Amino acid sequence: MSDTIHTLSTTGMTPKRQIQSWIDGLTSLCGYFDVDPLEATSLEGRIDYTSVSRLKLCQIEVSQHRIAHTLARARANEHPYIKIHFQTYGVSYFEQEGRHIEINPGDIIAYDVSCPHSIISPAFTRHDVVIVPKALLRDRGFPSQRMPACKLSAKTGTGRIAHDFVHATFDEAAKLSANSAVGVADSLIDLLLLPLREADTMFDRVGPEAMYVRAQFFIREHLRDPDLCIDQISAELGCSKRYLHMLFSERGTTVSDYIWQARLQNCRQELEAHGGKTITDVAFSWGFSSSSHFSRVFRKYFGVVPSSIHKGQQGAVAAVDQN
């Protein structure tokens, strides 16, 4: 099963303990922040949170306060996340790199957590948050440099669809199998990126970056097809095979290697999550047509044979059954 819903509440704590508890909660989710209740005598807050594969989903309500990730505390790789913040009640004020953004109910703000910033909520607020590891976005063609903060709308269009999907995912998270959680998380990331792409905040729609992202998306959607190849991709995208080769080679890989590595990663996740499936079943379901070839490239890529992961998972399941 996927992760259960966890809750952090400051109700009943002393004011000093409330602040420390809120700091600890934020730190466990995405890194250290300074917390200031402003002029209030207490900080009343609650966080319900869960994990779906590598994503963290949170529902937060909190009294007036300020949180800040300061320049003095900024360290490389300390906050390697992008936050997608959906405001559902109250008003907050976001500041990062000299930009000041007012966040009202129905607004979305997406920003790089590693870049120093602050959020002031002068009164009670509610918001939903999806915390996305940067590595997952890089896999989808996002540049590794810091992402500029972007304000969008969750009231209509892709923003509303994304927020509805976040709610549904949160509500059903505890019922998802580990394997299903991987697929749901992938779909959720793609949905969350749609309003960002529509806003043209990070991509040139007709340039090489946009074409590379489209190629990645098509590949991920057709990974289970054993006939997936560069001819099929170039035909779908309306570009030449030579252009596709160039796009991937500029990023240190080939189209073929990207496909096989993506398949191997999915196979490993499924072997770890499903002790009931055979190695051959898993390999063939992700587009491999030979067990021996799968085992050979799996060992070359991960440094272990697939049976060692599969046996470990079966052993864990057996131990649970015996208990």
Side-chain angles (χ1 to χ4, degrees):
M1 299 293 286
S2 187
D3 201 7
T4 56
I5 305 296
H6 305 278
T7 298
L8 164 68
S9 174
T10 65
T11 301
M13 298 179 179
T14 64
K16 183 176 180 180
R17 181 58 189 150
Q18 286 178 327
I19 294 173
Q20 187 58 54
S21 179
W22 205 251
I23 290 173
D24 292 344
L26 295 178
T27 300
S28 68
L29 289 169
C30 58
Y32 185 89
F33 292 86
D34 293 328
V35 176
D36 179 2
L38 302 177
E39 297 180 354
T41 57
S42 64
L43 191 151
E44 301 292 337
R46 177 188 174 100
I47 304 175
D48 294 322
Y49 62 96
T50 188
S51 297
V52 178
S53 187
R54 295 169 64 187
L55 300 181
K56 298 176 185 178
L57 279 63
C58 313
Q59 294 182 343
I60 302 172
E61 57 180 40
V62 59
S63 58
Q64 67 181 69
H65 73 293
R66 175 183 182 270
I67 65 167
H69 171 46
T70 64
L71 183 61
R73 292 189 178 275
R75 289 181 293 183
N77 302 320
E78 187 183 25
H79 297 66
Y81 303 103
I82 298 297
K83 265 190 183 181
I84 314 293
H85 172 122
F86 298 86
Q87 192 87 356
T88 58
Y89 184 88
V91 179
S92 298
Y93 300 91
F94 176 88
E95 189 278 327
Q96 187 177 61
E97 296 186 321
R99 295 187 64 201
H100 298 266
I101 301 174
E102 182 176 315
I103 317 169
N104 293 287
D107 288 340
I108 309 170
I109 183 165
Y111 62 96
D112 189 333
V113 185
S114 67
C115 183
H117 63 279
S118 67
I119 302 178
I120 295 175
S121 299
F124 178 84
T125 53
R126 291 194 190 101
H127 48 276
D128 301 329
V129 173
V130 182
I131 301 171
V132 185
K134 284 185 178 181
L136 295 182
L137 299 187
R138 284 195 293 269
D139 290 345
R140 286 160 168 76
F142 278 66
S144 58
Q145 62 265 32
R146 287 174 173 173
M147 168 185 143
C150 176
K151 180 178 175 179
L152 305 160
S153 174
K155 296 178 181 177
T156 60
T158 55
R160 180 175 178 178
I161 294 171
H163 194 202
D164 288 347
F165 196 87
V166 169
H167 265 291
T169 303
F170 187 92
D171 291 342
E172 302 300 320
K175 304 172 188 175
L176 298 175
S177 68
N179 190 53
S180 295
V182 173
V184 170
D186 284 341
S187 297
L188 179 53
I189 293 172
D190 290 331
L191 270 176
L192 290 169
L193 297 184
L194 283 176
L196 288 173
R197 291 173 181 163
E198 286 186 352
D200 287 328
T201 56
M202 303 172 71
F203 291 96
D204 174 359
R205 287 179 175 274
V206 297
E209 192 68 57
M211 187 64 75
Y212 179 66
V213 170
R214 288 177 59 201
Q216 286 184 307
F217 184 82
F218 183 81
I219 289 170
R220 289 197 307 275
E221 290 293 296
H222 296 81
L223 270 180
R224 294 184 185 272
D225 180 0
D227 296 323
L228 178 64
C229 62
I230 191 169
D231 299 82
Q232 187 180 355
I233 301 166
S234 63
E236 173 67 23
L237 270 58
C239 67
S240 69
K241 292 188 289 185
R242 180 178 179 181
Y243 185 61
L244 271 182
H245 280 304
M246 181 271 293
L247 290 178
F248 281 80
S249 65
E250 285 181 347
R251 292 159 176 82
T253 188
T254 66
V255 177
S256 178
D257 284 346
Y258 183 90
I259 293 171
W260 292 118
Q261 288 172 12
R263 283 174 170 163
L264 287 169
Q265 289 167 354
N266 280 279
C267 285
R268 176 162 187 160
Q269 289 175 334
E270 195 159 331
L271 287 172
E272 291 173 339
H274 269 288
K277 285 190 175 182
T278 68
I279 294 173
T280 300
D281 286 342
V282 172
F284 278 44
S285 72
W286 284 104
F288 289 91
S289 55
S290 165
S291 297
S292 58
H293 174 248
F294 168 68
S295 295
R296 185 168 59 253
V297 295
F298 189 98
R299 181 172 186 174
K300 181 178 180 181
Y301 187 66
F302 291 113
V304 295
V305 294
S307 58
S308 65
I309 294 175
H310 194 242
K311 288 177 181 177
Q313 174 66 16
Q314 288 180 320
V317 171
V320 172
D321 291 341
Q322 289 174 1
N323 292 332

